[in-house]
Amino acid sequence: MSSETFGPSSSSRSAPEHGRQRAGLWSVVVLIPALLLTACAPATPAVTASPKPRVTVTPTPEPVELAPLRGTPRLPGSVSLPAFSAKIDNHEGARPQIGLERTDIVFEELVEGGLTRYVAVWQSDIPDLLGPVRSIRPMDPDIIVPFGGIVAYSGGQEMFVQMMMDTPLVNAVFDYDDTGLFYRIDDKDSPHDVVVKATDIVAAHPELAPPVQQFEYAEKPDEASAMLAGSPTTTINTRFSDARWPSWSWDPAQASYLRSQEGEPDLDSVGAQLHATNLIVMRVGIDWTYGYVPKTVMVGSGEAWVSTGGKSIHATWSKDAQASPIRVVADDGTLIALAGGNTWIELVPTEDGSVELVP
């Protein structure tokens, strides 16, 4: 290393300058150990705040309540509604009916003269106005009592009216109405012109409970019994008499059965064809105790077919008391499950009636 740069002394430098150089050298000597000590000292670990764990709260979904007569999620406001049943006219002069397309369940029954009438039941979607309303028949208490709630009709033979009055149902009767809940409309001829303010009657009876579930429903449409074990069926033809032969055709586009009467499309009040998600055809006996007025035998059992999703399954129906719901059991003994949606039930007489399922 050159002495010119780092030498300790030189005769050409003065004493003070030499002293300054030594002082500077000493400072360097002292500083280096300090730096070494600092470098060798253990490092203080850095303190880093741990992030708080992220908590994801997944809300528990509220249980979905199903409409008891439809097997679909309840509509807002329908949870506490009672069933509203009505005798609906099916004479040519009564068509198209008002509100029939909004029913949960419809029964078609034989009446005098080979004609048919409906027992229509609403709960999930009760119209403000429905009709035309007609008179009661002797089998109607056996059909309607399991639903509870309210029954509306225009009147009937005294003995038949009394049969219905003797049930726990609230009876709303046109012949006895002095409140304006029933009235006649202008665009239909009498006696096919009586309509009823259904929601007004329901609102007057907040004490009534909703109906109990009548049939089993599958969680998914393709899990309905007919879909799982039924045979393909494109058309179901039924015959009540020479005057009435309703039929149903499966429409894949609408995923429902479309109704016809006497070979013509059966239309609703807005011009669309009446339809059903499920169709139950029951073979029933007829009791002629009341002369020319037939009574469909509802307490008993018989052959049945259940159609859903373009397939039909053979079954047996049974009902052990007036207040009991109808049970429909497949040939393997299992209780049949319907798809969620509306249901029509054809009560086809074993005497003179017929059923044909077309693949």
PDB file of all heavy atoms in Angstrom, residues 90-114:
ATOM      1  N   ASN A  90    -120.922 -26.878 -15.660  1.00  0.00           N
ATOM      2  CA  ASN A  90    -120.211 -27.308 -16.866  1.00  0.00           C
ATOM      3  C   ASN A  90    -121.166 -27.450 -18.047  1.00  0.00           C
ATOM      4  O   ASN A  90    -120.872 -28.165 -19.006  1.00  0.00           O
ATOM      5  CB  ASN A  90    -119.463 -28.620 -16.633  1.00  0.00           C
ATOM      6  CG  ASN A  90    -118.535 -28.963 -17.796  1.00  0.00           C
ATOM      7  OD1 ASN A  90    -117.989 -28.072 -18.450  1.00  0.00           O
ATOM      8  ND2 ASN A  90    -118.367 -30.247 -18.080  1.00  0.00           N
ATOM      9  N   HIS A  91    -122.275 -26.780 -17.975  1.00  0.00           N
ATOM     10  CA  HIS A  91    -123.172 -26.726 -19.131  1.00  0.00           C
ATOM     11  C   HIS A  91    -122.519 -25.878 -20.223  1.00  0.00           C
ATOM     12  O   HIS A  91    -121.709 -24.982 -19.932  1.00  0.00           O
ATOM     13  CB  HIS A  91    -124.513 -26.116 -18.702  1.00  0.00           C
ATOM     14  CG  HIS A  91    -125.591 -26.193 -19.721  1.00  0.00           C
ATOM     15  ND1 HIS A  91    -125.704 -25.285 -20.747  1.00  0.00           N
ATOM     16  CD2 HIS A  91    -126.607 -27.071 -19.876  1.00  0.00           C
ATOM     17  CE1 HIS A  91    -126.752 -25.595 -21.485  1.00  0.00           C
ATOM     18  NE2 HIS A  91    -127.325 -26.678 -20.987  1.00  0.00           N
ATOM     19  N   GLU A  92    -122.871 -26.159 -21.481  1.00  0.00           N
ATOM     20  CA  GLU A  92    -122.316 -25.354 -22.581  1.00  0.00           C
ATOM     21  C   GLU A  92    -122.572 -23.866 -22.371  1.00  0.00           C
ATOM     22  O   GLU A  92    -121.737 -23.027 -22.718  1.00  0.00           O
ATOM     23  CB  GLU A  92    -122.915 -25.808 -23.922  1.00  0.00           C
ATOM     24  CG  GLU A  92    -122.394 -27.140 -24.432  1.00  0.00           C
ATOM     25  CD  GLU A  92    -123.077 -28.338 -23.803  1.00  0.00           C
ATOM     26  OE1 GLU A  92    -123.890 -28.155 -22.858  1.00  0.00           O
ATOM     27  OE2 GLU A  92    -122.799 -29.477 -24.241  1.00  0.00           O
ATOM     28  N   GLY A  93    -123.731 -23.542 -21.763  1.00  0.00           N
ATOM     29  CA  GLY A  93    -124.060 -22.140 -21.521  1.00  0.00           C
ATOM     30  C   GLY A  93    -123.237 -21.499 -20.425  1.00  0.00           C
ATOM     31  O   GLY A  93    -123.259 -20.278 -20.267  1.00  0.00           O
ATOM     32  N   ALA A  94    -122.511 -22.305 -19.659  1.00  0.00           N
ATOM     33  CA  ALA A  94    -121.687 -21.774 -18.572  1.00  0.00           C
ATOM     34  C   ALA A  94    -120.245 -21.526 -19.000  1.00  0.00           C
ATOM     35  O   ALA A  94    -119.488 -20.851 -18.293  1.00  0.00           O
ATOM     36  CB  ALA A  94    -121.694 -22.748 -17.403  1.00  0.00           C
ATOM     37  N   ARG A  95    -119.850 -22.063 -20.139  1.00  0.00           N
ATOM     38  CA  ARG A  95    -118.470 -21.949 -20.588  1.00  0.00           C
ATOM     39  C   ARG A  95    -118.239 -20.638 -21.330  1.00  0.00           C
ATOM     40  O   ARG A  95    -119.124 -20.168 -22.023  1.00  0.00           O
ATOM     41  CB  ARG A  95    -118.109 -23.139 -21.497  1.00  0.00           C
ATOM     42  CG  ARG A  95    -118.335 -24.505 -20.858  1.00  0.00           C
ATOM     43  CD  ARG A  95    -118.154 -25.595 -21.899  1.00  0.00           C
ATOM     44  NE  ARG A  95    -118.605 -26.906 -21.409  1.00  0.00           N
ATOM     45  CZ  ARG A  95    -118.789 -27.965 -22.181  1.00  0.00           C
ATOM     46  NH1 ARG A  95    -118.556 -27.883 -23.494  1.00  0.00           N
ATOM     47  NH2 ARG A  95    -119.207 -29.100 -21.670  1.00  0.00           N
ATOM     48  N   PRO A  96    -117.055 -20.051 -21.218  1.00  0.00           N
ATOM     49  CA  PRO A  96    -115.957 -20.449 -20.327  1.00  0.00           C
ATOM     50  C   PRO A  96    -116.238 -20.016 -18.889  1.00  0.00           C
ATOM     51  O   PRO A  96    -116.792 -18.943 -18.646  1.00  0.00           O
ATOM     52  CB  PRO A  96    -114.750 -19.713 -20.895  1.00  0.00           C
ATOM     53  CG  PRO A  96    -115.331 -18.463 -21.489  1.00  0.00           C
ATOM     54  CD  PRO A  96    -116.677 -18.874 -22.040  1.00  0.00           C
ATOM     55  N   GLN A  97    -115.848 -20.836 -17.959  1.00  0.00           N
ATOM     56  CA  GLN A  97    -116.054 -20.530 -16.551  1.00  0.00           C
ATOM     57  C   GLN A  97    -115.090 -19.436 -16.090  1.00  0.00           C
ATOM     58  O   GLN A  97    -114.070 -19.167 -16.727  1.00  0.00           O
ATOM     59  CB  GLN A  97    -115.882 -21.790 -15.704  1.00  0.00           C
ATOM     60  CG  GLN A  97    -116.920 -22.859 -15.950  1.00  0.00           C
ATOM     61  CD  GLN A  97    -116.570 -23.805 -17.099  1.00  0.00           C
ATOM     62  OE1 GLN A  97    -115.594 -23.605 -17.817  1.00  0.00           O
ATOM     63  NE2 GLN A  97    -117.365 -24.856 -17.264  1.00  0.00           N
ATOM     64  N   ILE A  98    -115.403 -18.842 -14.961  1.00  0.00           N
ATOM     65  CA  ILE A  98    -114.586 -17.753 -14.411  1.00  0.00           C
ATOM     66  C   ILE A  98    -113.726 -18.301 -13.269  1.00  0.00           C
ATOM     67  O   ILE A  98    -114.243 -18.818 -12.279  1.00  0.00           O
ATOM     68  CB  ILE A  98    -115.482 -16.611 -13.890  1.00  0.00           C
ATOM     69  CG1 ILE A  98    -116.343 -16.059 -15.023  1.00  0.00           C
ATOM     70  CG2 ILE A  98    -114.636 -15.494 -13.278  1.00  0.00           C
ATOM     71  CD1 ILE A  98    -117.460 -15.138 -14.555  1.00  0.00           C
ATOM     72  N   GLY A  99    -112.405 -18.208 -13.417  1.00  0.00           N
ATOM     73  CA  GLY A  99    -111.491 -18.592 -12.348  1.00  0.00           C
ATOM     74  C   GLY A  99    -111.134 -20.058 -12.305  1.00  0.00           C
ATOM     75  O   GLY A  99    -110.356 -20.479 -11.449  1.00  0.00           O
ATOM     76  N   LEU A 100    -111.652 -20.857 -13.228  1.00  0.00           N
ATOM     77  CA  LEU A 100    -111.384 -22.297 -13.190  1.00  0.00           C
ATOM     78  C   LEU A 100    -109.912 -22.600 -13.453  1.00  0.00           C
ATOM     79  O   LEU A 100    -109.373 -23.591 -12.946  1.00  0.00           O
ATOM     80  CB  LEU A 100    -112.268 -23.008 -14.209  1.00  0.00           C
ATOM     81  CG  LEU A 100    -112.447 -24.520 -14.070  1.00  0.00           C
ATOM     82  CD1 LEU A 100    -113.034 -24.875 -12.705  1.00  0.00           C
ATOM     83  CD2 LEU A 100    -113.330 -25.066 -15.185  1.00  0.00           C
ATOM     84  N   GLU A 101    -109.246 -21.734 -14.211  1.00  0.00           N
ATOM     85  CA  GLU A 101    -107.835 -21.960 -14.535  1.00  0.00           C
ATOM     86  C   GLU A 101    -106.913 -21.716 -13.334  1.00  0.00           C
ATOM     87  O   GLU A 101    -105.724 -22.044 -13.392  1.00  0.00           O
ATOM     88  CB  GLU A 101    -107.413 -21.056 -15.697  1.00  0.00           C
ATOM     89  CG  GLU A 101    -107.387 -19.567 -15.383  1.00  0.00           C
ATOM     90  CD  GLU A 101    -108.754 -18.890 -15.506  1.00  0.00           C
ATOM     91  OE1 GLU A 101    -109.756 -19.596 -15.742  1.00  0.00           O
ATOM     92  OE2 GLU A 101    -108.811 -17.646 -15.371  1.00  0.00           O
ATOM     93  N   ARG A 102    -107.449 -21.165 -12.236  1.00  0.00           N
ATOM     94  CA  ARG A 102    -106.622 -20.864 -11.064  1.00  0.00           C
ATOM     95  C   ARG A 102    -106.841 -21.851  -9.915  1.00  0.00           C
ATOM     96  O   ARG A 102    -106.355 -21.641  -8.810  1.00  0.00           O
ATOM     97  CB  ARG A 102    -106.899 -19.433 -10.602  1.00  0.00           C
ATOM     98  CG  ARG A 102    -106.399 -18.406 -11.596  1.00  0.00           C
ATOM     99  CD  ARG A 102    -106.949 -17.017 -11.349  1.00  0.00           C
ATOM    100  NE  ARG A 102    -106.549 -16.464 -10.066  1.00  0.00           N
ATOM    101  CZ  ARG A 102    -106.883 -15.237  -9.647  1.00  0.00           C
ATOM    102  NH1 ARG A 102    -107.628 -14.458 -10.446  1.00  0.00           N
ATOM    103  NH2 ARG A 102    -106.495 -14.792  -8.470  1.00  0.00           N
ATOM    104  N   THR A 103    -107.530 -22.930 -10.183  1.00  0.00           N
ATOM    105  CA  THR A 103    -107.808 -23.913  -9.145  1.00  0.00           C
ATOM    106  C   THR A 103    -106.560 -24.691  -8.744  1.00  0.00           C
ATOM    107  O   THR A 103    -105.610 -24.827  -9.514  1.00  0.00           O
ATOM    108  CB  THR A 103    -108.862 -24.927  -9.628  1.00  0.00           C
ATOM    109  OG1 THR A 103    -108.431 -25.457 -10.894  1.00  0.00           O
ATOM    110  CG2 THR A 103    -110.224 -24.288  -9.786  1.00  0.00           C
ATOM    111  N   ASP A 104    -106.606 -25.248  -7.536  1.00  0.00           N
ATOM    112  CA  ASP A 104    -105.601 -26.216  -7.109  1.00  0.00           C
ATOM    113  C   ASP A 104    -106.040 -27.624  -7.494  1.00  0.00           C
ATOM    114  O   ASP A 104    -105.239 -28.412  -7.992  1.00  0.00           O
ATOM    115  CB  ASP A 104    -105.393 -26.143  -5.593  1.00  0.00           C
ATOM    116  CG  ASP A 104    -104.742 -24.846  -5.162  1.00  0.00           C
ATOM    117  OD1 ASP A 104    -103.971 -24.273  -5.944  1.00  0.00           O
ATOM    118  OD2 ASP A 104    -105.011 -24.387  -4.034  1.00  0.00           O
ATOM    119  N   ILE A 105    -107.311 -27.953  -7.226  1.00  0.00           N
ATOM    120  CA  ILE A 105    -107.848 -29.283  -7.497  1.00  0.00           C
ATOM    121  C   ILE A 105    -109.259 -29.142  -8.057  1.00  0.00           C
ATOM    122  O   ILE A 105    -110.032 -28.311  -7.579  1.00  0.00           O
ATOM    123  CB  ILE A 105    -107.866 -30.153  -6.220  1.00  0.00           C
ATOM    124  CG1 ILE A 105    -106.445 -30.350  -5.684  1.00  0.00           C
ATOM    125  CG2 ILE A 105    -108.535 -31.501  -6.476  1.00  0.00           C
ATOM    126  CD1 ILE A 105    -106.380 -31.119  -4.364  1.00  0.00           C
ATOM    127  N   VAL A 106    -109.587 -29.946  -9.069  1.00  0.00           N
ATOM    128  CA  VAL A 106    -110.937 -29.982  -9.638  1.00  0.00           C
ATOM    129  C   VAL A 106    -111.397 -31.428  -9.731  1.00  0.00           C
ATOM    130  O   VAL A 106    -110.652 -32.288 -10.214  1.00  0.00           O
ATOM    131  CB  VAL A 106    -110.989 -29.339 -11.040  1.00  0.00           C
ATOM    132  CG1 VAL A 106    -112.409 -29.425 -11.612  1.00  0.00           C
ATOM    133  CG2 VAL A 106    -110.537 -27.882 -10.998  1.00  0.00           C
ATOM    134  N   PHE A 107    -112.627 -31.695  -9.260  1.00  0.00           N
ATOM    135  CA  PHE A 107    -113.286 -32.990  -9.446  1.00  0.00           C
ATOM    136  C   PHE A 107    -114.378 -32.818 -10.500  1.00  0.00           C
ATOM    137  O   PHE A 107    -115.169 -31.873 -10.418  1.00  0.00           O
ATOM    138  CB  PHE A 107    -113.950 -33.462  -8.150  1.00  0.00           C
ATOM    139  CG  PHE A 107    -113.008 -33.758  -7.021  1.00  0.00           C
ATOM    140  CD1 PHE A 107    -112.515 -32.734  -6.215  1.00  0.00           C
ATOM    141  CD2 PHE A 107    -112.622 -35.059  -6.734  1.00  0.00           C
ATOM    142  CE1 PHE A 107    -111.665 -33.005  -5.157  1.00  0.00           C
ATOM    143  CE2 PHE A 107    -111.770 -35.345  -5.678  1.00  0.00           C
ATOM    144  CZ  PHE A 107    -111.280 -34.311  -4.883  1.00  0.00           C
ATOM    145  N   GLU A 108    -114.421 -33.729 -11.457  1.00  0.00           N
ATOM    146  CA  GLU A 108    -115.535 -33.751 -12.403  1.00  0.00           C
ATOM    147  C   GLU A 108    -116.427 -34.930 -12.047  1.00  0.00           C
ATOM    148  O   GLU A 108    -115.961 -36.072 -11.952  1.00  0.00           O
ATOM    149  CB  GLU A 108    -115.050 -33.873 -13.845  1.00  0.00           C
ATOM    150  CG  GLU A 108    -116.199 -33.782 -14.841  1.00  0.00           C
ATOM    151  CD  GLU A 108    -115.753 -33.644 -16.286  1.00  0.00           C
ATOM    152  OE1 GLU A 108    -114.565 -33.905 -16.569  1.00  0.00           O
ATOM    153  OE2 GLU A 108    -116.591 -33.281 -17.137  1.00  0.00           O
ATOM    154  N   GLU A 109    -117.744 -34.664 -11.880  1.00  0.00           N
ATOM    155  CA  GLU A 109    -118.687 -35.667 -11.403  1.00  0.00           C
ATOM    156  C   GLU A 109    -119.904 -35.738 -12.322  1.00  0.00           C
ATOM    157  O   GLU A 109    -120.292 -34.749 -12.956  1.00  0.00           O
ATOM    158  CB  GLU A 109    -119.147 -35.327  -9.983  1.00  0.00           C
ATOM    159  CG  GLU A 109    -119.890 -33.996  -9.925  1.00  0.00           C
ATOM    160  CD  GLU A 109    -120.240 -33.527  -8.521  1.00  0.00           C
ATOM    161  OE1 GLU A 109    -119.620 -33.989  -7.553  1.00  0.00           O
ATOM    162  OE2 GLU A 109    -121.140 -32.671  -8.406  1.00  0.00           O
ATOM    163  N   LEU A 110    -120.493 -36.904 -12.372  1.00  0.00           N
ATOM    164  CA  LEU A 110    -121.714 -37.112 -13.155  1.00  0.00           C
ATOM    165  C   LEU A 110    -122.911 -36.536 -12.402  1.00  0.00           C
ATOM    166  O   LEU A 110    -123.061 -36.727 -11.204  1.00  0.00           O
ATOM    167  CB  LEU A 110    -121.929 -38.606 -13.390  1.00  0.00           C
ATOM    168  CG  LEU A 110    -123.171 -38.999 -14.207  1.00  0.00           C
ATOM    169  CD1 LEU A 110    -122.999 -38.598 -15.665  1.00  0.00           C
ATOM    170  CD2 LEU A 110    -123.425 -40.514 -14.083  1.00  0.00           C
ATOM    171  N   VAL A 111    -123.778 -35.804 -13.141  1.00  0.00           N
ATOM    172  CA  VAL A 111    -125.055 -35.346 -12.594  1.00  0.00           C
ATOM    173  C   VAL A 111    -126.168 -35.831 -13.518  1.00  0.00           C
ATOM    174  O   VAL A 111    -125.922 -36.568 -14.481  1.00  0.00           O
ATOM    175  CB  VAL A 111    -125.090 -33.809 -12.406  1.00  0.00           C
ATOM    176  CG1 VAL A 111    -124.078 -33.393 -11.338  1.00  0.00           C
ATOM    177  CG2 VAL A 111    -124.817 -33.075 -13.709  1.00  0.00           C
ATOM    178  N   GLU A 112    -127.389 -35.426 -13.238  1.00  0.00           N
ATOM    179  CA  GLU A 112    -128.528 -35.930 -13.991  1.00  0.00           C
ATOM    180  C   GLU A 112    -128.438 -35.531 -15.470  1.00  0.00           C
ATOM    181  O   GLU A 112    -127.827 -34.538 -15.828  1.00  0.00           O
ATOM    182  CB  GLU A 112    -129.843 -35.437 -13.381  1.00  0.00           C
ATOM    183  CG  GLU A 112    -129.960 -33.941 -13.230  1.00  0.00           C
ATOM    184  CD  GLU A 112    -129.384 -33.431 -11.913  1.00  0.00           C
ATOM    185  OE1 GLU A 112    -128.554 -34.129 -11.293  1.00  0.00           O
ATOM    186  OE2 GLU A 112    -129.764 -32.318 -11.524  1.00  0.00           O
ATOM    187  N   GLY A 113    -129.078 -36.362 -16.294  1.00  0.00           N
ATOM    188  CA  GLY A 113    -129.090 -36.112 -17.731  1.00  0.00           C
ATOM    189  C   GLY A 113    -127.783 -36.464 -18.423  1.00  0.00           C
ATOM    190  O   GLY A 113    -127.587 -36.115 -19.589  1.00  0.00           O
ATOM    191  N   GLY A 114    -126.869 -37.148 -17.720  1.00  0.00           N
ATOM    192  CA  GLY A 114    -125.587 -37.509 -18.326  1.00  0.00           C
ATOM    193  C   GLY A 114    -124.606 -36.352 -18.414  1.00  0.00           C
ATOM    194  O   GLY A 114    -123.523 -36.503 -18.994  1.00  0.00           O
TER     195      GLY A 114
END
